[in-house]
Short mmCIF file of all heavy atoms in Angstrom, two decimals:
data_model
loop_
_atom_site.label_atom_id
_atom_site.label_comp_id
_atom_site.label_asym_id
_atom_site.label_seq_id
_atom_site.Cartn_x
_atom_site.Cartn_y
_atom_site.Cartn_z
N SER J 221 -19.75 -13.56 -9.68
CA SER J 221 -20.08 -14.78 -8.95
C SER J 221 -18.84 -15.43 -8.32
O SER J 221 -18.93 -16.05 -7.23
CB SER J 221 -20.78 -15.77 -9.89
OG SER J 221 -19.93 -16.01 -10.99
N ASP J 222 -17.66 -15.26 -8.94
CA ASP J 222 -16.45 -15.84 -8.37
C ASP J 222 -16.07 -15.14 -7.05
O ASP J 222 -15.67 -15.77 -6.06
CB ASP J 222 -15.25 -15.66 -9.30
CG ASP J 222 -15.21 -16.77 -10.37
OD1 ASP J 222 -16.27 -17.43 -10.57
OD2 ASP J 222 -14.15 -16.95 -11.00
N VAL J 223 -16.19 -13.83 -7.06
CA VAL J 223 -15.83 -13.06 -5.84
C VAL J 223 -16.82 -13.42 -4.74
O VAL J 223 -16.42 -13.64 -3.56
CB VAL J 223 -15.80 -11.57 -6.09
CG1 VAL J 223 -15.33 -10.80 -4.85
CG2 VAL J 223 -14.94 -11.20 -7.29
N ILE J 224 -18.09 -13.53 -5.06
CA ILE J 224 -19.09 -13.85 -4.05
C ILE J 224 -18.89 -15.28 -3.51
O ILE J 224 -18.94 -15.52 -2.32
CB ILE J 224 -20.53 -13.69 -4.65
CG1 ILE J 224 -20.76 -12.20 -4.95
CG2 ILE J 224 -21.56 -14.21 -3.67
CD1 ILE J 224 -22.05 -11.92 -5.71
N SER J 225 -18.54 -16.20 -4.40
CA SER J 225 -18.27 -17.60 -3.94
C SER J 225 -17.08 -17.62 -3.02
O SER J 225 -17.03 -18.36 -2.02
CB SER J 225 -18.00 -18.51 -5.11
OG SER J 225 -19.04 -18.52 -5.99
N GLU J 226 -16.07 -16.79 -3.32
CA GLU J 226 -14.88 -16.75 -2.44
C GLU J 226 -15.31 -16.22 -1.07
O GLU J 226 -14.87 -16.79 -0.02
CB GLU J 226 -13.80 -15.86 -3.06
CG GLU J 226 -12.57 -15.78 -2.21
CD GLU J 226 -11.50 -14.80 -2.77
OE1 GLU J 226 -11.73 -14.23 -3.83
OE2 GLU J 226 -10.45 -14.66 -2.14
N VAL J 227 -16.08 -15.15 -1.04
CA VAL J 227 -16.54 -14.60 0.22
C VAL J 227 -17.38 -15.67 0.98
O VAL J 227 -17.20 -15.84 2.22
CB VAL J 227 -17.37 -13.30 0.03
CG1 VAL J 227 -18.02 -12.86 1.34
CG2 VAL J 227 -16.48 -12.20 -0.51
N ALA J 228 -18.20 -16.40 0.26
CA ALA J 228 -19.04 -17.42 0.92
C ALA J 228 -18.13 -18.43 1.65
O ALA J 228 -18.39 -18.84 2.78
CB ALA J 228 -19.89 -18.12 -0.12
N GLU J 229 -17.08 -18.83 0.97
CA GLU J 229 -16.17 -19.86 1.54
C GLU J 229 -15.43 -19.25 2.77
O GLU J 229 -15.32 -19.91 3.84
CB GLU J 229 -15.15 -20.28 0.52
CG GLU J 229 -14.26 -21.42 0.90
CD GLU J 229 -14.99 -22.75 1.06
OE1 GLU J 229 -16.12 -22.85 0.52
OE2 GLU J 229 -14.45 -23.65 1.76
N LEU J 230 -14.94 -18.05 2.61
CA LEU J 230 -14.23 -17.38 3.73
C LEU J 230 -15.17 -17.18 4.93
O LEU J 230 -14.77 -17.40 6.07
CB LEU J 230 -13.69 -16.03 3.27
CG LEU J 230 -12.48 -16.10 2.29
CD1 LEU J 230 -12.29 -14.72 1.62
CD2 LEU J 230 -11.19 -16.49 3.02
N TYR J 231 -16.39 -16.82 4.62
CA TYR J 231 -17.40 -16.56 5.67
C TYR J 231 -17.69 -17.86 6.44
O TYR J 231 -17.76 -17.87 7.64
CB TYR J 231 -18.67 -16.04 5.01
CG TYR J 231 -19.71 -15.54 5.95
CD1 TYR J 231 -19.55 -14.31 6.61
CD2 TYR J 231 -20.89 -16.27 6.19
CE1 TYR J 231 -20.54 -13.81 7.47
CE2 TYR J 231 -21.86 -15.80 7.05
CZ TYR J 231 -21.71 -14.57 7.69
OH TYR J 231 -22.65 -14.13 8.53
N GLU J 232 -17.79 -18.93 5.70
CA GLU J 232 -18.07 -20.25 6.27
C GLU J 232 -16.95 -20.60 7.25
O GLU J 232 -17.17 -21.23 8.30
CB GLU J 232 -18.16 -21.25 5.12
CG GLU J 232 -18.38 -22.69 5.47
CD GLU J 232 -19.79 -22.90 5.96
OE1 GLU J 232 -20.67 -22.16 5.58
OE2 GLU J 232 -19.99 -23.82 6.80
N ILE J 233 -15.75 -20.18 6.89
CA ILE J 233 -14.54 -20.53 7.72
C ILE J 233 -14.43 -19.59 8.93
O ILE J 233 -13.71 -19.82 9.83
CB ILE J 233 -13.30 -20.53 6.84
CG1 ILE J 233 -13.36 -21.73 5.90
CG2 ILE J 233 -12.03 -20.55 7.62
CD1 ILE J 233 -12.48 -21.63 4.70
N GLY J 234 -15.18 -18.52 8.90
CA GLY J 234 -15.21 -17.61 10.09
C GLY J 234 -14.80 -16.19 9.79
O GLY J 234 -14.72 -15.37 10.74
N ALA J 235 -14.47 -15.87 8.53
CA ALA J 235 -14.03 -14.50 8.23
C ALA J 235 -15.20 -13.54 8.34
O ALA J 235 -16.31 -13.85 7.80
CB ALA J 235 -13.44 -14.44 6.81
N ARG J 236 -15.00 -12.43 8.97
CA ARG J 236 -16.05 -11.43 9.14
C ARG J 236 -15.59 -10.01 8.65
O ARG J 236 -16.36 -9.08 8.68
CB ARG J 236 -16.48 -11.33 10.61
CG ARG J 236 -17.18 -12.57 11.13
CD ARG J 236 -18.51 -12.79 10.43
NE ARG J 236 -19.21 -14.01 10.85
CZ ARG J 236 -19.10 -15.18 10.26
NH1 ARG J 236 -18.28 -15.35 9.22
NH2 ARG J 236 -19.75 -16.24 10.72
N PHE J 237 -14.35 -9.94 8.19
CA PHE J 237 -13.80 -8.62 7.82
C PHE J 237 -13.27 -8.73 6.41
O PHE J 237 -12.40 -9.57 6.11
CB PHE J 237 -12.69 -8.23 8.77
CG PHE J 237 -13.06 -8.24 10.23
CD1 PHE J 237 -12.88 -9.39 11.02
CD2 PHE J 237 -13.67 -7.14 10.81
CE1 PHE J 237 -13.26 -9.38 12.34
CE2 PHE J 237 -14.05 -7.14 12.12
CZ PHE J 237 -13.87 -8.29 12.91
N TYR J 238 -13.76 -7.83 5.55
CA TYR J 238 -13.39 -7.90 4.13
C TYR J 238 -13.07 -6.49 3.61
O TYR J 238 -13.70 -5.51 3.95
CB TYR J 238 -14.54 -8.46 3.30
CG TYR J 238 -15.05 -9.81 3.74
CD1 TYR J 238 -16.05 -9.91 4.68
CD2 TYR J 238 -14.48 -10.97 3.23
CE1 TYR J 238 -16.49 -11.16 5.12
CE2 TYR J 238 -14.92 -12.21 3.65
CZ TYR J 238 -15.95 -12.29 4.59
OH TYR J 238 -16.38 -13.51 5.04
N ARG J 239 -12.05 -6.47 2.71
CA ARG J 239 -11.83 -5.25 1.97
C ARG J 239 -11.70 -5.58 0.50
O ARG J 239 -10.85 -6.45 0.11
CB ARG J 239 -10.60 -4.51 2.42
CG ARG J 239 -10.46 -3.14 1.71
CD ARG J 239 -9.30 -2.33 2.26
NE ARG J 239 -8.07 -2.74 1.61
CZ ARG J 239 -7.06 -1.90 1.47
NH1 ARG J 239 -7.11 -0.65 1.94
NH2 ARG J 239 -5.94 -2.32 0.89
N ILE J 240 -12.49 -4.92 -0.30
CA ILE J 240 -12.37 -5.10 -1.75
C ILE J 240 -11.28 -4.13 -2.20
O ILE J 240 -11.50 -2.97 -2.52
CB ILE J 240 -13.71 -4.77 -2.46
CG1 ILE J 240 -14.83 -5.65 -1.85
CG2 ILE J 240 -13.58 -5.04 -3.96
CD1 ILE J 240 -16.24 -5.22 -2.32
N GLY J 241 -10.03 -4.61 -2.09
CA GLY J 241 -8.87 -3.70 -2.23
C GLY J 241 -7.97 -4.04 -3.39
O GLY J 241 -7.12 -3.20 -3.76
N ARG J 242 -8.10 -5.26 -3.97
CA ARG J 242 -7.15 -5.61 -4.99
C ARG J 242 -7.74 -5.25 -6.35
O ARG J 242 -8.24 -6.12 -7.07
CB ARG J 242 -6.77 -7.08 -4.87
CG ARG J 242 -5.36 -7.41 -5.41
CD ARG J 242 -5.30 -7.21 -6.88
NE ARG J 242 -3.94 -7.26 -7.46
CZ ARG J 242 -3.39 -6.23 -8.11
NH1 ARG J 242 -4.00 -5.06 -8.21
NH2 ARG J 242 -2.23 -6.40 -8.66
N GLN J 243 -7.70 -4.00 -6.68
CA GLN J 243 -8.00 -3.49 -8.03
C GLN J 243 -7.50 -2.02 -8.06
O GLN J 243 -7.51 -1.35 -7.03
CB GLN J 243 -9.50 -3.54 -8.37
CG GLN J 243 -10.38 -2.58 -7.60
CD GLN J 243 -10.78 -3.09 -6.24
OE1 GLN J 243 -11.18 -4.22 -6.11
NE2 GLN J 243 -10.62 -2.28 -5.20
N PRO J 244 -7.13 -1.55 -9.21
CA PRO J 244 -6.63 -0.17 -9.26
C PRO J 244 -7.76 0.89 -9.16
O PRO J 244 -7.49 2.01 -8.80
CB PRO J 244 -5.93 -0.06 -10.63
CG PRO J 244 -6.45 -1.18 -11.45
CD PRO J 244 -6.88 -2.26 -10.48
N ASP J 245 -9.01 0.47 -9.49
CA ASP J 245 -10.10 1.47 -9.46
C ASP J 245 -11.43 0.70 -9.34
O ASP J 245 -11.89 0.05 -10.26
CB ASP J 245 -10.10 2.25 -10.78
CG ASP J 245 -11.27 3.21 -10.90
OD1 ASP J 245 -11.87 3.58 -9.88
OD2 ASP J 245 -11.58 3.64 -12.04
N ILE J 246 -12.02 0.76 -8.10
CA ILE J 246 -13.27 0.01 -7.86
C ILE J 246 -14.35 0.46 -8.85
O ILE J 246 -15.19 -0.34 -9.26
CB ILE J 246 -13.75 0.18 -6.41
CG1 ILE J 246 -14.99 -0.64 -6.07
CG2 ILE J 246 -14.02 1.63 -6.03
CD1 ILE J 246 -14.73 -2.01 -5.75
N LEU J 247 -14.32 1.71 -9.26
CA LEU J 247 -15.38 2.25 -10.15
C LEU J 247 -15.32 1.58 -11.52
O LEU J 247 -16.31 1.64 -12.27
CB LEU J 247 -15.22 3.75 -10.28
CG LEU J 247 -15.26 4.55 -8.98
CD1 LEU J 247 -14.69 5.93 -9.15
CD2 LEU J 247 -16.66 4.61 -8.44
N SER J 248 -14.17 1.05 -11.89
CA SER J 248 -14.01 0.51 -13.21
C SER J 248 -14.17 -1.03 -13.26
O SER J 248 -13.84 -1.68 -14.25
CB SER J 248 -12.61 0.84 -13.77
OG SER J 248 -12.52 2.24 -13.93
N TYR J 249 -14.69 -1.61 -12.17
CA TYR J 249 -14.93 -3.07 -12.17
C TYR J 249 -15.96 -3.39 -13.26
O TYR J 249 -17.08 -2.85 -13.25
CB TYR J 249 -15.38 -3.50 -10.77
CG TYR J 249 -15.68 -4.97 -10.65
CD1 TYR J 249 -14.84 -5.94 -11.12
CD2 TYR J 249 -16.84 -5.43 -9.97
CE1 TYR J 249 -15.08 -7.28 -10.98
CE2 TYR J 249 -17.11 -6.77 -9.78
CZ TYR J 249 -16.21 -7.68 -10.28
OH TYR J 249 -16.51 -9.02 -10.16
N HIS J 250 -15.58 -4.18 -14.19
CA HIS J 250 -16.43 -4.54 -15.34
C HIS J 250 -16.78 -3.34 -16.24
O HIS J 250 -17.82 -3.37 -16.92
CB HIS J 250 -17.71 -5.34 -14.92
CG HIS J 250 -17.42 -6.75 -14.60
ND1 HIS J 250 -17.08 -7.67 -15.56
CD2 HIS J 250 -17.33 -7.38 -13.42
CE1 HIS J 250 -16.84 -8.86 -14.96
NE2 HIS J 250 -16.99 -8.69 -13.67
#
Side-chain angles (χ1 to χ4, degrees):
S221 56
D222 277 18
V223 184
I224 294 173
S225 302
E226 180 183 0
V227 171
E229 187 68 20
L230 289 164
Y231 189 75
E232 179 69 28
I233 288 161
R236 294 293 178 268
F237 305 93
Y238 303 90
R239 185 175 84 153
I240 306 170
R242 207 294 170 239
Q243 70 278 310
D245 175 21
I246 183 84
L247 302 164
S248 296
Y249 180 45
H250 283 289

